[in-house]
Structure formats: structure tokens, C-alpha cells
Amino acid sequence: MEPTTKTETLDIEGMTCASCASFVEKSLTRTPGVQRAVVNFATEKATVDYVPTQASPASLKEAVVNAGYGVVERAPDTSAADRQAEIDQQKALAYQKLKRRFSVAVVLALIIMPLSMLMLWPAMMARVNMQALNYVLLLLTLPVLLYSGREFYVSAWNGFKHRAANMDTLIAVGTGAAFLYSLAATVVPDFFTRRGLMPEVYYDTTATIIALILLGKVLELRAKTQTSAAIRTLMGLQAKTARVVRPGGQEVDVPIEQVQLGDLIVVRPGEKVATDGLIEAGHSAVDEAMLTGESLPVEKKEGDPVFGATLNKTGSFRFRVTKVGADTMLSQIVKLVEDAQGSRAPIQRLADKVSAIFVPTVVVIAILTFVLWFDLAPVEARLPLALVNFVAVLIIACPCALGLATPTAIMVSTGKGAEHGVLVRNAEALEKAYQVNTVLLDKTGTITRGEPAVTDFIPGKGQSVGQLLPVVAAVERQSEHPLAEAVVRYADAHQAYSLPATNFRAVEGKGAAAHVNGQVVLIGNFRLLEEAGVSLAPTLRRQADELLAQAKTVLYVAVDGQAAGVLGVADTIRETSAAAIQQLQRLGIEVVMMTGDNPQTAAQVAGQVGIKRYFAEVLPQDKASKVKELQAEGRVVAMVGDGINDAPALAQADIGLAMGGGTDVAMEAAGITLMRSDLQGVVTAIALSRQTIRTIKQNLFFAFIYNTLGIPVAAGLLYPFFGLLLSPMLAAGAMALSSVSVLTNSLRLRGFTPLKN
Amino acid sequence: MDTAEIIVTLSGLGLAAFVVWYFFFSARQTASAVSSSSGVQEVDITVKGGYSPDVIEVERGKPVQLSFYRDEENSCSEELLMPDFSIRRDLPAFKTTLVELLPDKPGRFEFTCGMGMLRGSLVVK
């Protein structure tokens, strides 16, 4: 396989002639890892294909500089938020315009309707000149047609030139036919009377249809803005400025676009974190709910990562910028949600096929309706009946409802997911999650925290926790071993006072020793004590054996040659795991666990969280085959992992869920990324997918049923049996409501709340 | 059947046949991408009641830049969807919107408006 290449465009400065360009080109081409470099003298740009592992934008820049030219740092593109703001503004203008067109249509239709009905009132009819009335109606209808309805005709014509037909085609042909017929009846009524026909006009029909369809459009546009509200909220989270510490020490507020990698930024209580970075000094609690959905603030101290757009609560701190612009967590979330919203759900396939042929098919049905009515209806009424039903068929058909059914639901739900820290890669992933009946959990890092913690602290005879803990912690603070870190965390959590330790010595594979308060302290495994000739009192030995039986790691402590206590260390189960697993089971999903632990430990953990089936002693490379095993049983498997060595299993599963802080590789392989390290996210993802697909199914059902019932009724199918005909005005009302109903149904997903315990 | 009925029937059927032929079977406008000096395949597309050209041929493995100029305000065309590339873009009226993608497998990939009424396709060779 050839390595994947990246393409980078550089703006070169200082090139004065074409030969300079070839010089830069040569220099770039000679840079290791560059596969191809093209320099365009006219545009002053270099386009370079390179292998990311061997070259980087920095090495490319160096090559240009070595050739004696410069690279202009490109001005940052207008931010996504700005672009969105511009589009929003344009949409708002379009909405205003649409409302104006609608108002004109509605006012005129309200005048035209009663005027047309005069004809149904014999006493009035005798007094009014029909001919004159028709001209008045014509004058009133013209603005509706030419101003309010203009766009339908223009769009239908533009589409026709492209051999494309859309909803506007149907409306244009329908209202156009009614209007032209009425126009003829108004201008040349004799033509009709001579053939024994009443010169009837349909101005009310024309005006009402346009008014109603515009009403539908107004409602639709309003609802559609809400479908993308979530992403707009996300974009709006971006901080506008950052307080950068200059090398001299003074603090300056700069626009976020000017913040660069390596800048030091100060964040005070109540302020937004400007961008992603690592804390260098200070500590605080940070509200990360906007990114992870975690409602409790997260404690942050030196060395911890912070993310742009999160909110600093209590303390102030300084952090070093590690990511800016499109690389930040927030931008990546926005990108992921945008991508998901642009993807297609397999469930949509049928609707897509239907809408591709929908409009021309409806036109054909309308023409056939006209012909049949003309041929079969009584001679004196055949033309108006044929016309009315022709128009009704065109108007009632609603391809929009079909087209909106799936994407609007996907848009609302992916946005909603992001709000709760569930990032869906694409619509297909959502659909897969819906079908899942088995969830396979990789124990470490999902059910458990994936890091050791002290679970038991047992002081020996004559010792107390209060005495011994500070002593133990003093030694372990010097050590870098993960177990030592667990002890230090435990000590910190119990607010043990700190003591100085001297003569620290790490004993490879066994533990550590140091002097504290003038005493020699040993901490480590049994062999450490054994070799130092320390013996264990029987009670302490029994307690240690109990811990070992619980599959815990035991640390032994000796002070001045006397055994002083034992500590049990284990990977602890997250508090939320058992509840989340129970919720999954209540959703009808079988939860299976896999782990590298021995069967006893596995059984114990499984028992604690209520899992009945588990795989123990699974080697990392066998994880994917366990997924396959479950799939072979006919199950649709969701694999949940923390991304450390389970990328193949995530990819093998029908749907992979990578858990918070997961590696990039895992996020690539996963259909769904959970921002929070918590199994609750799995429940949220599955519940959301179920509600979304249910909504889509309702939408599709409604859209299909609406059209398959509406069109035959409009064609007059009920007439021979019940004498029922559908007025084109009613058809317009139904059509306007149908797409709004679908949208409204999708918007119901905004009310989605994750299951709570 | 009187004369009027015969005329209506025949012209109705004729019209229906024309609609079927015109929208489903007549030839489409095809365009091939032009490769720029930097190796990017560029295509300009006008959006006005449809996409012209509506069949775009590009080569596999080279980046493609599609410039969509939306020459109308009609709301039908305000969104562009390229589901195979996970792209959903708003096309502002009377502006050019750039869409960049990398076609890595051959095939015919449809792009449509937000409601799937306007259609075009990207043919990757």
C-alpha cells in the first residue's frame, strides 16, 4: 500500500521571475517526504504533496526559506461562525421577503374568495354584471400570480430547461392552468357559451392555492432554521478573545484568530477558555458540559488539558496553547456534526428513488386524470371537472414531505447528540445503533476507570491510618510508578498531611524505600519485605490473602523492619457503570463484557455490574474475533472501547463506540464517539438512535401514505362511489400542512433527554 | 367519442409521453473537469432550477474543486447535498460556494438539493 499523502498550499513571497519558481520547486522536491511540488509563479503559490510522516508544513517552509524565499502565513479564512452568520443573514432576508409575498397573497385571496362566492347567491348575481366582476377578480389575482407566486413560475421554467421538475413545477402548472382557463373565460366568454358551457372562473382557486402554499413555505422555513440550531449553538461557543501573556509579562487581550501555538493564556474565574492547551500553573474547576455533556465541573490542575469554549468556574490558571483554529476540540466536534448532517441514511434510499421520479410521474397522472374526466364526465360539465381534478392532483402531491422525512430528523438528532456528548459520525451509524441487540464492553476503561486506585488501606497492629498514610505517601510521592500514583491520589483524597522523604530508592520490580521522620520505610510487593527480612503478622497475612482473592494488587508496608500495613489496589468500577448496564438491559440489549483478566476477576466484575455473559483472558489481538464470534450468533453488535488497542474490534463491530479521550485512531474506527468517559453515553446513543429512526419511520410512513392516498382522491377516485371531489384549495391546504407536519415531527427530537437513573 | 374527446385523449397521451421522455430519457449535459496547474480538478457549476452542467466527470485520486454559483433566490436550491462525501452546504444566492473533495473510488455519485428534487452526478473515472 502506498503511504497516504497530504497536500499543502504555501504562499511564497519574493519570487521575481519564472526561474525563481523552478528554484523553489526544486528545493521543495528535494525535501525528504515530498512526492511532488508545483510552484505557480503567477499566483505565487506552491502546491506540495508530501508524506506526513516524513515531512511537515514546517519542513516545507524551511525548504522554501533555504532556497532564499519566504512563506507568507496565510490570513486565517473567515471563521465558520462568520460564514454561518452571513448565510443566516441571507436566510433571514429571504424569510422576510417570503412573508411579504405571503401577506399580499393572503390579503388578496381574502377579498377574491367572497367576491367569487357572489355567484353562488342568485339574488346578488342578478344585480351584478358577471363580466365586470370577472375583470375585477382578474385584476385582484394578477398581483398574487405575478408578485407572490412569481418564484414558482420562474423556478419551474428554470427547472424545465434543465429537464428537472420540482415542487414548483407542480404548483406552476396547476395554478397556471386554472388561471389561463379563467383568463379565457373572462376575455372570450362567448367561446364557452357558444359550446353550451358556463364561462366559469377559478381566480379564487388560483389565489388561495398560492396563499396556502406560501403559508406552508413560511412555516417550513421557520421550522428548518430550528433543525440546524444545535450546530449554530456549537459554533457560537467559540471564545472571541484570549488574554495572552506576552514575554514581558504583561497581559493583552487579543482576537482569537491571532492566538498562536505556544502562546501562554490566562483564564480567570467565570471566563471562557479561549482554545485548547495544557495548564502550566494554577488549578480550577472547569465546566465542560458544552463539549462532553458532563454536567459536573471537572477539576483541572497543572499538566491537565483544557479545551476551548469550556467555562472556567472557580480558580484562575495559565495554559500553553497546543491547538488553534480548525484543530481544536470544538472545531472537530462542529466538523463531525456537519459531516453527519450531510450524510445519507440507508433507510432513505427508497424515498430517494421515489423523489427522483416523483414530479414527472405526478404530471403524467394529472394529464391522464384530465383525459379520463374529459372522456367520461357528462358533456356539459366535462371541461371544468377535468380541469379541477387536474389541478387538484398537481397541487396535493408533495415531494417535499418525502425529501424532508429523513434528513431533518438526522439533523436534529446529530445536533442533540452533540449536546449530550454523543458524536455520531454519519446517518448510517445512527441507523446501525438502532438495530443493535448486543453491546460488547471492553472492561478496562469502560466499565472501570482504566487506572488503579487504592481500595483498601489496612494498618497493622499499633498503627493507624492517620499515622501511616502520610508516611506511605511521602515515599510514594517520589516514585513515578502508576501504583505509587494511585497511593498519592488516595492520600490526597484523604487530605493526609505531607512529610519530607529522604534517601529515596526505587527497587526495580519490587517497590521503593526511603527515610521518613528518621524511620526506614519500605513499600512494595511481598518479595520486597521478604528480602528485607520482614515477616508478616498472621492477621495481616490473612487480610492480604483476602485482597488477593478479590483479584486486587497488594502493596506491603514496613516501617523500621516491622510490617506496618497492607494496601489493596485495583482498577475501580465507575459509579455509573452498573446503572448504565441495567438501562441497556432494560432496552432489551444483552450486555457482554470482555477482559484480559483471569476468569475469577472477570466473574467478579461482571457480577458487580450485573453482566451475565463475559469473555475472560482475551488477548488484545483477539478482541476483534470476539466481536466476530458474537456476530456469528446472528447478533448486531455494538462494541464499546476506550480506543487503546481496540480499534480493530471497533471497526469489526456493526457499530463502534469510542469512549471519551479515546485515541484518534479509535475515533476514526468508531461510528459514534462518546465525549464522556461513562457508560451512560452508550445508553444515550442507543436511546437517541431509536428515537431518531422511529421518527424517520413515522415521517416516511406519513409522506408515503399522504401521497398514495391524496393523489387518487384528488384525481376523483371517490367520485363514482361517494360523489366526492377534492377541491384544489383543500388540496393546497393539505399539501402545505404535510411538509410542515414532517418537519414538526422531526423537531420533536429536540425534546430528547437521556435516560436518567 | 366525439371529436373533442378524441383530440383531448390523443394530445393528453402525447403530452404524457413527452413528459416521460423529456424528464427521464433525453440526453444530459456532461462536462469534464479541467485540471489546474496545481493538479486540482476544477469545475464551475451554475445552480438555477438545476445544475448546469449536471453530469461532471472527474478523475479518481485527484482533488476536485467544485464552484457552485447559485444564480437564483429560489429556496429549492439553497442546500447542496453530496451524501457520498458527507457534504451538506448552504449555497448563498448569487454567490460562489467552493466544495472540495477527494474522489478515491470510481463510480457515479449523485448530488442533489436539500429535498432531492434537483439532481446532478459526479462521475469518477
Side-chain angles (χ1 to χ4, degrees), chain A residues 360-382:
Chain A
T361 310
V362 170
V363 173
V364 168
I365 294 175
I367 293 171
L368 297 180
T369 304
F370 186 94
V371 169
L372 281 174
W373 276 99
F374 194 86
D375 290 352
L376 302 176
V379 174
E380 64 285 359
R382 64 186 180 186

Side-chain angles (χ1 to χ4, degrees), chain A residues 36 38 40 47 84 86-87 90-91 97 151 155 158-168 217 220-221 224 338-339 341-344 352 355-357 359-361 363-364 367-368 370-371 374-375 379 382 399-400 403-404 407 411 426, chain B residues 1-2 4-5 8-9 12-13 15-16 18-24 26-28 37-39 46 48-52 54 70 72-76 78-79 81-84 86-88 90-93 95 110 114-119:
Chain A
R36 202 179 61 108
V38 180
N40 185 327
T47 310
Q84 189 63 39
E86 197 189 320
I87 288 169
Q90 219 186 34
K91 279 192 173 166
K97 218 164 157 183
E151 197 176 283
S155 153
N158 285 334
F160 184 78
K161 284 192 292 188
H162 284 92
R163 295 163 199 262
N166 53 40
M167 193 192 84
D168 294 338
K217 281 212 159 197
E220 189 183 300
L221 208 65
K224 260 175 95 178
E338 273 183 336
D339 281 358
Q341 296 189 334
S343 65
R344 174 166 42 200
D352 271 349
S355 41
I357 58 161
V359 175
T361 310
V363 173
V364 168
I367 293 171
L368 297 180
F370 186 94
V371 169
F374 194 86
D375 290 352
V379 174
R382 64 186 180 186
C400 300
L404 293 171
M411 281 184 80
N426 53 32
Chain B
M1 253 195 189
D2 61 17
E5 281 173 2
V8 165
T9 309
L13 292 178
L15 200 57
F18 169 76
V19 168
V20 171
W21 169 80
Y22 186 78
F23 288 108
F24 297 145
S26 59
R28 300 272 155 167
S37 56
S38 54
T46 306
K48 192 176 185 180
Y51 303 103
S52 38
D54 58 4
R70 178 159 160 237
E72 64 180 350
E73 269 189 310
N74 187 320
S75 60
C76 262
E78 72 185 359
E79 260 180 330
L81 284 186
M82 304 188 82
D84 298 292
S86 276
I87 290 170
R88 171 187 290 271
D90 279 309
L91 304 180
K95 293 235 161 86
E110 278 221 320
M115 291 183 194
M117 293 287 107
L118 315 181
R119 277 156 194 279

Side-chain angles (χ1 to χ4, degrees), chain A residues 405-429:
Chain A
T406 317
T408 52
I410 298 283
M411 281 184 80
V412 178
S413 107
T414 46
K416 199 72 201 171
E419 209 175 289
H420 293 291
V422 174
L423 300 180
V424 182
R425 174 165 298 279
N426 53 32
E428 197 179 342

